Short mmCIF file of all heavy atoms in Angstrom, two decimals:
data_model
loop_
_atom_site.label_atom_id
_atom_site.label_comp_id
_atom_site.label_asym_id
_atom_site.label_seq_id
_atom_site.Cartn_x
_atom_site.Cartn_y
_atom_site.Cartn_z
N MET A 249 -3.38 11.58 3.77
CA MET A 249 -2.48 10.37 3.40
C MET A 249 -3.62 9.55 2.55
O MET A 249 -4.73 9.26 2.88
CB MET A 249 -2.29 9.57 4.60
CG MET A 249 -1.43 8.33 4.34
SD MET A 249 -0.77 7.63 5.78
CE MET A 249 -2.36 6.76 6.59
N LYS A 250 -3.01 9.06 1.39
CA LYS A 250 -3.91 8.06 0.53
C LYS A 250 -3.94 6.74 1.06
O LYS A 250 -3.00 6.34 1.68
CB LYS A 250 -3.42 8.10 -0.91
CG LYS A 250 -3.59 9.39 -1.60
CD LYS A 250 -3.37 9.27 -3.17
CE LYS A 250 -3.51 10.56 -3.77
NZ LYS A 250 -4.83 11.26 -3.67
N PHE A 251 -5.05 5.99 0.99
CA PHE A 251 -5.21 4.55 1.50
C PHE A 251 -5.11 3.76 0.28
O PHE A 251 -6.02 3.80 -0.58
CB PHE A 251 -6.68 4.37 2.05
CG PHE A 251 -6.80 5.01 3.45
CD1 PHE A 251 -5.93 5.82 4.07
CD2 PHE A 251 -7.86 4.38 4.22
CE1 PHE A 251 -6.21 6.23 5.36
CE2 PHE A 251 -7.98 4.80 5.56
CZ PHE A 251 -7.25 5.89 5.98
N PHE A 252 -4.14 2.89 0.33
CA PHE A 252 -4.19 1.71 -0.75
C PHE A 252 -4.46 0.52 0.01
O PHE A 252 -4.24 0.43 1.23
CB PHE A 252 -2.71 1.48 -1.29
CG PHE A 252 -2.29 2.75 -2.44
CD1 PHE A 252 -3.09 3.68 -2.67
CD2 PHE A 252 -1.24 2.45 -3.13
CE1 PHE A 252 -2.72 4.64 -3.46
CE2 PHE A 252 -0.70 3.33 -4.03
CZ PHE A 252 -1.57 4.55 -4.32
N VAL A 253 -5.17 -0.45 -0.62
CA VAL A 253 -5.56 -1.66 0.00
C VAL A 253 -4.57 -2.79 -0.46
O VAL A 253 -4.28 -2.89 -1.59
CB VAL A 253 -7.00 -2.02 -0.08
CG1 VAL A 253 -7.37 -2.15 -1.41
CG2 VAL A 253 -7.47 -3.17 0.79
N ASP A 254 -3.95 -3.60 0.51
CA ASP A 254 -2.97 -4.47 0.31
C ASP A 254 -3.63 -5.88 0.20
O ASP A 254 -3.55 -6.63 1.12
CB ASP A 254 -1.91 -4.28 1.49
CG ASP A 254 -0.59 -5.01 1.06
OD1 ASP A 254 -0.24 -4.93 -0.04
OD2 ASP A 254 0.13 -5.37 1.97
N GLY A 272 -6.01 3.29 -4.12
CA GLY A 272 -5.18 2.43 -4.96
C GLY A 272 -5.07 0.94 -4.29
O GLY A 272 -5.71 0.76 -3.20
N THR A 274 -2.29 -2.50 -3.70
CA THR A 274 -0.99 -3.14 -3.82
C THR A 274 -1.16 -4.57 -3.81
O THR A 274 -1.94 -5.12 -3.00
CB THR A 274 -0.03 -2.66 -2.82
OG1 THR A 274 -0.63 -2.82 -1.46
CG2 THR A 274 0.43 -1.11 -3.07
N ILE A 378 7.27 -1.48 7.03
CA ILE A 378 7.25 -1.27 8.46
C ILE A 378 7.25 -2.59 9.39
O ILE A 378 8.10 -2.73 10.17
CB ILE A 378 6.08 -0.46 8.84
CG1 ILE A 378 6.16 0.84 8.09
CG2 ILE A 378 5.95 -0.16 10.34
CD1 ILE A 378 4.81 1.81 8.28
N ILE A 408 6.14 8.36 -0.81
CA ILE A 408 6.50 7.36 0.34
C ILE A 408 5.17 6.60 0.64
O ILE A 408 4.26 7.04 1.09
CB ILE A 408 6.97 7.99 1.59
CG1 ILE A 408 8.27 8.79 1.29
CG2 ILE A 408 7.27 6.90 2.72
CD1 ILE A 408 8.56 9.61 2.51
N LEU A 409 5.27 5.19 0.28
CA LEU A 409 4.24 4.24 0.35
C LEU A 409 4.50 3.32 1.64
O LEU A 409 5.21 2.33 1.44
CB LEU A 409 4.00 3.47 -0.91
CG LEU A 409 2.67 2.80 -1.23
CD1 LEU A 409 2.64 2.37 -2.65
CD2 LEU A 409 2.43 1.59 -0.38
N ALA A 410 3.99 3.66 2.75
CA ALA A 410 4.26 2.82 3.87
C ALA A 410 3.51 1.46 3.74
O ALA A 410 2.46 1.40 3.59
CB ALA A 410 3.67 3.60 5.12
N ALA A 411 4.39 0.40 3.80
CA ALA A 411 3.84 -0.93 3.46
C ALA A 411 4.13 -1.94 4.61
O ALA A 411 4.84 -1.37 5.62
CB ALA A 411 4.46 -1.49 2.18
N ILE A 413 2.06 -2.93 6.71
CA ILE A 413 1.25 -2.31 7.82
C ILE A 413 0.54 -3.45 8.47
O ILE A 413 -0.16 -4.13 7.88
CB ILE A 413 0.43 -1.14 7.26
CG1 ILE A 413 1.40 0.10 7.21
CG2 ILE A 413 -0.74 -0.81 8.23
CD1 ILE A 413 0.70 1.34 6.92
N HIS A 418 0.04 1.65 13.21
CA HIS A 418 0.86 1.89 12.09
C HIS A 418 0.25 2.97 11.18
O HIS A 418 0.95 3.75 10.65
CB HIS A 418 1.11 0.56 11.31
CG HIS A 418 2.21 -0.29 11.84
ND1 HIS A 418 2.22 -1.66 11.58
CD2 HIS A 418 3.23 -0.07 12.72
CE1 HIS A 418 3.35 -2.22 12.17
NE2 HIS A 418 3.82 -1.20 12.83
N MET A 419 -1.20 2.82 11.00
CA MET A 419 -1.79 3.73 10.13
C MET A 419 -1.71 5.18 10.56
O MET A 419 -1.40 6.15 9.89
CB MET A 419 -3.31 3.28 9.96
CG MET A 419 -3.46 2.10 9.20
SD MET A 419 -2.92 2.28 7.25
CE MET A 419 -4.29 2.99 6.64
N ALA A 422 1.88 6.51 10.53
CA ALA A 422 2.39 6.78 9.19
C ALA A 422 1.72 8.21 8.70
O ALA A 422 2.48 9.01 8.00
CB ALA A 422 1.93 5.70 8.23
N ALA A 423 0.40 8.41 9.20
CA ALA A 423 -0.24 9.65 8.82
C ALA A 423 0.38 10.79 9.50
O ALA A 423 0.54 11.91 8.92
CB ALA A 423 -1.75 9.65 9.17
N ALA A 427 3.62 10.15 5.75
CA ALA A 427 3.65 9.20 4.54
C ALA A 427 2.64 9.66 3.48
O ALA A 427 1.65 10.19 3.96
CB ALA A 427 3.42 7.81 4.91
N ASP A 428 2.97 9.55 2.19
CA ASP A 428 2.03 9.95 1.17
C ASP A 428 0.96 8.99 1.09
O ASP A 428 -0.26 9.31 0.81
CB ASP A 428 2.66 10.09 -0.27
CG ASP A 428 3.89 11.07 0.04
OD1 ASP A 428 3.57 12.27 0.05
OD2 ASP A 428 5.10 10.72 -0.06
N VAL A 429 1.25 7.65 1.20
CA VAL A 429 0.25 6.64 1.10
C VAL A 429 0.60 5.57 2.13
O VAL A 429 1.74 5.29 2.58
CB VAL A 429 0.55 5.85 -0.26
CG1 VAL A 429 -0.59 4.81 -0.56
CG2 VAL A 429 0.66 6.88 -1.36
N ALA A 430 -0.50 4.91 2.71
CA ALA A 430 -0.23 3.67 3.41
C ALA A 430 -1.00 2.61 2.77
O ALA A 430 -2.20 2.80 2.45
CB ALA A 430 -0.76 3.99 4.85
N THR A 431 -0.44 1.48 2.61
CA THR A 431 -1.10 0.31 2.15
C THR A 431 -1.39 -0.64 3.25
O THR A 431 -0.42 -1.12 3.97
CB THR A 431 -0.45 -0.35 0.82
OG1 THR A 431 -1.38 -1.26 0.22
CG2 THR A 431 0.83 -1.05 1.15
N ALA A 432 -2.54 -1.13 3.44
CA ALA A 432 -2.94 -1.95 4.55
C ALA A 432 -3.93 -2.95 4.08
O ALA A 432 -4.78 -2.78 3.32
CB ALA A 432 -3.49 -1.14 5.80
N ILE A 437 -7.75 -1.58 7.82
CA ILE A 437 -8.56 -0.38 7.48
C ILE A 437 -9.89 -0.44 8.16
O ILE A 437 -10.34 0.54 8.75
CB ILE A 437 -8.72 -0.43 5.91
CG1 ILE A 437 -7.27 -0.11 5.26
CG2 ILE A 437 -9.59 0.78 5.60
CD1 ILE A 437 -7.39 -0.12 3.78
#
Side-chain angles (χ1 to χ4, degrees):
M249 184 171 76
K250 290 193 184 298
F251 281 20
F252 286 6
V253 58
D254 198 28
T274 50
I378 297 170
I408 301 171
L409 196 170
I413 280 189
H418 279 158
M419 289 297 278
D428 299 290
V429 187
T431 190
I437 294 176

